[in-house]
Amino acid sequence: MHYSTFRLQVIFRLLLIIGLGYTAIYVLTETHFWLVSFWVILAAVISVVELLRYIERSHRELENLVTAIYQGDFTNTYHQQKYKSSELLAYSYNRLVGTYQQLRQEKESNHQYLQNVVEHVSVALIGVNQQEEVTLVNPAAKQLLQYPVIRHLSDIKSIDKNLHQCIDQLEAGQRVMVKLVRNGRLMQLAVQASEFYLQGTYYKLISLQDLRRELEEQELASWQKLIRVLTHEIMNSVIPIANLSGMVRQNLLQTQQSTTLQLQSLDEEESQDLLESLKVIEDRSQGLANFVKAYRSITQVAQPHFREVKVADLVQRVYGLFATTLEEQGIQWYQQVSPDTLTLTLDLELIEQVLINLVKNALEALKETHHPSISLSAYRTKGNERVIELHDNGSGIPSEIAEQIFIPFFTTKPYGSGIGLSLSQQIMRMHQGAISVHSSPNDGTTFILHL
């Protein structure tokens, strides 16, 4: 519609000029009214000037529009009532102003959002440019470093020279641990850096996170859980030993005369009680020794010897160890490796021990299950993570127990040691991996090895 208006305006003026010119020539050549032809020619000249001004005004308004775009000045608007000859420019300009204002509002909103995130995030962030001028320091960084104003990267020297050297030499993607003492408090900082360009300007973003508190809290919680388990197990052995030792002592002493009895003077029943008491003492002492030995096995895991292993061979080895048991108990076994050529760099014996522990637990969980089954699968995720899963359709693990199954010596089995899953977790950590569990009463249990 706006293009048609501009076109009609130009065509109308051109036709008017042509008509006036033809009329002036006709009057001048065919009639004697030469004065009339003078006025017609004057009208034609005025029309030509008006057409030129009309076109120049459109170009001038277009030039003003381009200048406003270049300078980013969109505060003004075109009014069609004022410029009836430039309805197209007015319409286009006002649409452009609206779009630009919307984009600027979105940009400012995103900037405000990111600024709020940076201000409230608990990780300390420091941004520097190529001249090592500090362009960003969030409140977490000020609180962590206990330094009011940081204008240049060299200011960190006043805080700690080792920290400054670490940040200065840190490359993008690197993560290092640095010890820092501030106000008498030791901090274990995880320092990481990333680099990027913004409108052609180089920036380096450094993040600092104090892991010491988290490590201490996790360590304290782990020790508390371990102490509870140790106390429970040791007391179960020590109390019977103490009680039975007192009973033996009473049997070996005369109550009235407080003189030592000869064993030959004990009757048959007393001798039998004495022997049984000594046997219980021996059994419980051996149990306590085995418990301590199991504890040592957790703290003395052999260092892994990594090599390239075909996962299909690993799965087949595990199946071969339990094939007879699975057949005797009527348990269906399913295995799948995708792709068939999937390989992993790991310690074959240690990871095999992890899978053996998991299969043994699955066999225990399937004792009262109809149509029991175990499936062992391995695959590569979209994020290129290698995963091994073992699933059973047993009774599942209650949620209140699932959080404790990796605690050393925690077990729900009558004769279990409680070290299998804890040892498995330690082996996975030595492989820079992790082990997790998902369980529900209706869907069994799935253990996942992340490698």
Side-chain angles (χ1 to χ4, degrees):
M1 179 181 68
H2 301 285
Y3 284 104
S4 300
T5 303
F6 179 81
R7 189 182 298 114
L8 289 174
Q9 289 282 349
V10 174
I11 292 175
F12 172 78
R13 283 171 170 76
L14 287 175
L15 292 176
L16 179 62
I17 293 171
I18 293 172
L20 291 173
Y22 178 80
T23 301
I25 294 173
Y26 177 82
V27 172
L28 186 62
T29 57
E30 299 295 331
T31 68
H32 300 286
F33 302 100
W34 59 270
L35 187 59
V36 174
S37 64
F38 171 79
W39 292 110
V40 173
I41 293 173
L42 181 61
V45 172
I46 293 174
S47 298
V48 170
V49 173
E50 177 62 22
L51 175 61
L52 294 176
R53 290 184 60 189
Y54 178 81
I55 296 175
E56 288 175 355
R57 183 165 56 211
S58 300
H59 283 285
R60 186 167 57 253
E61 291 166 357
L62 179 61
E63 182 180 358
N64 293 336
L65 172 62
V66 173
T67 303
I69 295 173
Y70 176 78
Q71 295 177 350
D73 181 14
F74 290 89
T75 56
N76 299 322
T77 57
Y78 274 74
H79 300 286
Q80 296 181 9
Q81 294 81 0
K82 183 177 180 179
Y83 300 104
K84 296 185 179 295
S85 62
S86 57
E87 292 180 357
L88 174 62
L89 283 177
Y91 174 76
S92 301
Y93 183 87
N94 291 331
R95 285 187 61 186
L96 183 61
V97 168
T99 303
Y100 177 84
Q101 290 176 346
Q102 182 180 357
L103 292 174
R104 185 163 59 183
Q105 289 175 358
E106 292 177 358
K107 180 181 177 181
E108 291 175 354
S109 298
N110 292 334
H111 177 73
Q112 187 68 27
Y113 175 80
L114 292 176
Q115 187 175 9
N116 289 333
V117 170
V118 171
E119 292 289 324
H120 290 87
V121 72
S122 60
V123 178
L125 297 175
I126 299 176
V128 297
N129 58 18
Q130 196 164 8
Q131 290 74 34
E132 295 189 347
E133 297 173 345
V134 175
T135 58
L136 168 68
V137 181
N138 69 341
K142 295 179 181 178
Q143 183 178 2
L144 178 70
L145 300 177
Q146 297 293 315
Y147 203 79
V149 180
I150 302 177
R151 294 189 175 88
H152 198 273
L153 192 61
S154 59
D155 294 340
I156 301 181
K157 287 183 180 179
S158 304
I159 302 173
D160 188 272
K161 293 183 178 179
N162 291 332
L163 179 60
H164 173 266
Q165 184 178 3
C166 169
I167 294 176
D168 188 49
Q169 299 177 355
L170 193 63
E171 297 180 357
Q174 272 190 319
R175 184 178 182 179
V176 296
M177 302 298 295
V178 180
K179 289 184 178 180
L180 177 66
V181 178
R182 295 296 291 169
N183 297 330
R185 185 170 65 92
L186 176 63
M187 294 182 288
Q188 190 77 25
L189 297 183
V191 186
Q192 194 168 2
S194 62
E195 300 174 348
F196 60 93
Y197 286 86
L198 186 62
Q199 295 182 347
T201 304
Y202 168 85
Y203 292 95
K204 184 177 183 180
L205 184 65
I206 302 109
S207 64
L208 304 97
Q209 189 172 10
D210 184 15
L211 301 180
R212 183 173 178 83
R213 179 175 297 179
E214 297 179 7
L215 293 174
E216 287 178 346
E217 291 176 354
Q218 293 178 2
E219 184 180 4
L220 179 60
S222 299
W223 275 112
Q224 288 175 343
K225 292 177 182 178
L226 181 58
I227 289 172
R228 284 197 295 266
V229 175
L230 290 173
T231 303
H232 174 74
E233 187 65 25
I234 292 175
M235 291 302 292
N236 284 346
S237 296
V238 171
I239 291 177
I241 292 174
N243 292 337
L244 292 173
S245 298
M247 186 184 299
V248 172
R249 181 174 178 277
Q250 292 298 324
N251 287 335
L252 294 178
L253 293 176
Q254 288 184 348
T255 357
Q256 298 178 351
Q257 302 178 0
S258 298
T259 57
T260 305
L261 286 173
Q262 299 296 322
L263 291 178
Q264 291 82 354
S265 64
L266 297 176
D267 57 28
E268 184 177 354
E269 184 179 355
E270 292 174 338
S271 299
Q272 188 65 27
D273 290 342
L274 179 60
L275 292 175
E276 289 179 358
S277 298
L278 293 174
K279 181 65 169 63
V280 173
I281 292 174
E282 180 182 4
D283 292 342
R284 295 308 301 168
S285 299
Q286 185 61 41
L288 187 58
N290 293 335
F291 176 80
V292 176
K293 188 182 298 183
Y295 174 78
R296 291 181 62 188
S297 68
I298 290 183
T299 59
Q300 297 178 356
V301 180
Q303 288 298 318
H305 299 284
F306 295 100
R307 64 179 185 272
E308 197 79 9
V309 174
K310 191 174 181 180
V311 180
D313 295 340
L314 172 62
V315 172
Q316 191 60 35
R317 280 174 58 127
V318 175
Y319 169 72
L321 294 172
F322 294 95
T324 304
T325 305
L326 293 169
E327 185 177 356
E328 291 176 352
Q329 299 183 13
I331 299 175
Q332 291 291 328
W333 174 272
Y334 303 97
Q335 64 185 48
Q336 182 181 8
V337 178
S338 178
D340 298 335
T341 58
L342 181 64
T343 59
L344 291 171
T345 302
L346 47 77
D347 187 304
L348 177 60
E349 287 72 22
L350 289 178
I351 296 298
E352 185 180 51
Q353 183 61 50
V354 172
L355 294 175
I356 289 173
N357 291 336
L358 297 180
V359 174
K360 285 182 177 180
N361 290 339
L363 293 176
E364 290 285 339
L366 292 171
K367 284 185 176 180
E368 299 180 0
T369 302
H370 299 288
H371 308 294
S373 66
I374 298 176
S375 64
L376 182 59
S377 59
Y379 56 92
R380 183 188 292 118
T381 65
K382 293 182 180 180
N384 204 31
E385 180 187 25
R386 276 71 168 178
V387 173
I388 300 177
E389 285 188 6
L390 188 136
H391 174 77
D392 67 75
N393 63 342
S395 56
I397 304 174
S399 57
E400 63 272 12
I401 296 178
E403 298 180 356
Q404 307 179 60
I405 59 175
F406 295 107
I407 298 176
F409 312 112
F410 177 85
T411 181
T412 57
K413 303 174 186 177
Y415 303 102
S417 63
I419 66 171
L421 289 177
S422 178
L423 188 62
S424 299
Q425 186 183 54
Q426 188 172 350
I427 291 173
M428 291 304 300
R429 287 177 178 173
M430 295 172 70
H431 282 75
Q432 302 300 316
I435 180 173
S436 60
V437 61
H438 300 283
S439 183
S440 61
N442 300 324
D443 195 34
T445 302
T446 302
F447 282 92
I448 305 174
L449 306 183
H450 305 269
L451 292 161

